[in-house]
Amino acid sequence: PLVPPSCRILTGTRYALLRDEFAQHRTISLHQRATPPARQPETALPHSQNILINLGGVDKDNHTLAVLQALSAYVSGSLKALPIRATIIMGATAPHLARIQHYAATAPYPSQVIANAPNMAELMTQATWAIGAAGSSSWERCALGLPTLLITIADNQRPIAAQLQSAGAAIALEASQIPSPAFQTAIAHLMQPENQQRISQAAAQLCDAHGAERVAQHIAQAQPRGAFPPNPPRADGKRESRQQARVDY
């Protein structure tokens, strides 16, 4: 066996380690996605949908640009296209950040580029749906019930993407499909409120953002408060302080 019989294994989305901000925003995010939009007069212009785009902090292959170009094709290619705006999240050291900022400034839809966003849960809550990589941020989006078009940009993301799509919690495509008709079909699908609501509900059932709290509870139960192993002797024969032993332990 890989672990001893006494080892308690905490795996699965129930134990996904998310920051507190996602638990704090979960209720309001799920509530607004479950509430049907107010009926608009037939003459009223439809509200624009806010698409959150985050393909990793680095995105060395610049898949973000391909996504923005595909959204431009969607907006320009159909008279029935609903209005959109894009919120693009990247790392401050992303190699293609300047190019994305330049493209966003001239895109045929309103766009803003945010580098090193300190409030991801808030931005996800404000988004209508998302286009994102199928990495660990998938669980953040699930916790907030954020409908997502997943883009697989690494081999180890394929199992996550396949399982989320199988659960109805996302639509999954390969990065190579961004310039294809399949991507345009996925955009049109996610633009429909009834599809957004269905995907949101499925995603929210997979992760509730309280995984870190559960893990902490298990650790507290396994290790009584204040219990630490004896301070080990150092090479010079002296014993480390309790503070040093606590850090090592």
Side-chain angles (χ1 to χ4, degrees):
L2 296 177
V3 297
S6 60
C7 178
R8 179 173 296 176
I9 301 175
L10 308 179
T11 60
T13 57
R14 180 173 170 78
Y15 297 102
L17 303 178
L18 306 185
R19 299 189 301 276
D20 288 345
E21 63 177 304
F22 293 96
Q24 294 165 0
H25 282 79
R26 177 174 165 86
T27 298
I28 186 172
S29 183
L30 298 187
H31 175 74
Q32 67 186 23
R33 299 182 198 287
T35 303
R39 186 177 181 84
Q40 298 290 322
E42 293 184 3
T43 56
L45 294 175
H47 294 298
S48 64
Q49 297 193 15
N50 178 18
I51 305 173
L52 180 76
I53 302 168
N54 178 217
L55 294 168
V58 176
D59 187 19
K60 64 181 180 62
D61 296 317
N62 206 9
H63 296 303
T64 301
L65 179 60
V67 166
L68 296 180
Q69 291 170 337
L71 288 174
S72 295
Y74 167 78
V75 170
S76 306
S78 173
L79 295 176
K80 297 181 180 180
L82 296 173
I84 64 171
R85 65 186 193 275
T87 302
I88 306 145
I89 312 297
M90 303 184 75
T93 60
H96 304 290
L97 177 59
R99 190 175 180 188
I100 294 302
Q101 290 171 328
H102 180 266
Y103 187 89
T106 59
Y109 46 84
S111 305
Q112 64 169 331
V113 181
I114 303 174
N116 282 1
N119 58 332
M120 278 301 296
E122 181 181 10
L123 292 171
M124 287 183 180
T125 299
Q126 294 170 351
T128 311
W129 56 280
I131 299 174
S136 58
S137 59
S138 298
W139 314 126
E140 297 171 353
R141 294 188 292 262
C142 282
L144 299 178
L146 180 59
T148 302
L149 171 51
L150 285 176
I151 305 298
T152 300
I153 61 175
D155 290 342
N156 63 354
Q157 293 182 358
R158 287 193 176 89
I160 296 175
Q163 291 172 21
L164 286 173
Q165 180 164 261
S166 177
I171 296 175
L173 293 175
E174 295 284 330
S176 61
Q177 294 178 284
I178 294 174
S180 75
F183 194 84
Q184 296 296 318
T185 299
I187 293 174
H189 184 83
L190 275 162
M191 290 293 292
Q192 302 306 312
E194 61 272 20
N195 296 331
Q196 294 168 7
Q197 192 171 59
R198 182 171 60 252
I199 295 173
S200 174
Q201 291 171 350
Q205 291 177 2
L206 296 179
C207 183
D208 66 1
H210 292 290
E213 181 181 346
R214 294 188 183 96
V215 170
Q217 290 173 348
H218 280 286
I219 293 174
Q221 293 168 3
Q223 183 65 51
R225 183 181 297 275
F228 293 94
N231 297 350
R234 303 190 315 200
D236 57 9
K238 297 180 180 179
R239 289 188 175 274
E240 294 178 338
S241 68
R242 179 169 295 276
Q243 183 176 6
Q244 290 171 321
R246 185 183 303 231
V247 171
D248 292 341
Y249 181 69

